[in-house]
Amino acid sequence: PIDANGWARIAEEQGSEAWARATNRFRLPESVPAAMREWYIQQQARMPGAFLAQLFRWTTTLDLTDRLAAMRVPTLILAGSDARQGTMAHAERAAELIPDCRLSVLDGMPFNVMSAAPERCVSETIGFIGEVVRRRAG
């Protein structure tokens, strides 16, 4: 898992761009072109560092596990096998607890699968929606 307090300190003391540079490897795979990585860092740098620090500290206090079984909508979890923010164990546990859930694992991908593999995420999402529609129609 990540060091949320360490991330908070970087964001608070050095700003969001420093945090983005120091932690980018957790969000994009190494194979991403340098230009994409830099664009991504610049987008993250737009967030105030103080806000990120508060967010990181707050999210470590959340545990909604006991509420997952109450979900009543079809759910798709897209998880990167190399995620550090939310591990595969977290994703697998959520998929077990949510009644109508499919877990799709993107091998070799980090936590931010939507940025690391957008085409695959779109494909998985469209396929999942199609399955849900077919189930409800038939």
Side-chain angles (χ1 to χ4, degrees):
I2 63 156
D3 175 11
N5 287 321
W7 283 20
R9 278 192 306 280
I10 293 170
E12 204 166 50
E13 296 170 6
Q14 300 173 39
S16 56
E17 183 173 347
W19 163 79
R21 288 190 185 287
T23 63
N24 196 264
R25 68 188 181 281
F26 300 120
R27 283 178 296 287
L28 295 174
E30 290 184 27
S31 61
V32 168
M36 168 64 172
R37 187 172 304 282
E38 185 59 31
W39 175 85
Y40 199 76
I41 288 169
Q42 291 307 312
Q43 297 309 302
Q44 292 177 311
R46 297 168 63 187
M47 185 68 62
F51 173 79
L52 285 176
Q54 289 178 352
L55 180 65
F56 298 147
R57 288 185 179 115
W58 176 69
T59 56
T60 61
T61 68
L62 296 178
D63 183 357
L64 302 174
T65 305
D66 61 337
R67 301 181 73 187
L68 295 178
M71 291 181 64
R72 297 293 175 246
V73 296
T75 304
L76 172 65
I77 297 175
L78 298 170
S81 65
D82 294 350
R84 303 250 330 252
Q85 294 96 317
T87 65
M88 282 305 307
H90 291 123
E92 290 165 350
R93 181 70 177 136
E96 290 171 7
L97 294 172
I98 298 169
D100 185 5
C101 184
R102 184 173 92 196
L103 172 61
S104 179
V105 178
L106 283 71
D107 289 328
M109 291 292 119
F111 182 75
N112 292 48
V113 294
M114 65 287 194
S115 300
E119 295 88 0
R120 171 90 186 273
C121 290
V122 168
S123 175
E124 291 285 332
T125 301
I126 290 171
F128 178 73
I129 292 169
E131 288 174 20
V132 170
V133 168
R134 283 188 295 281
R135 254 190 352 235
R136 290 188 174 187

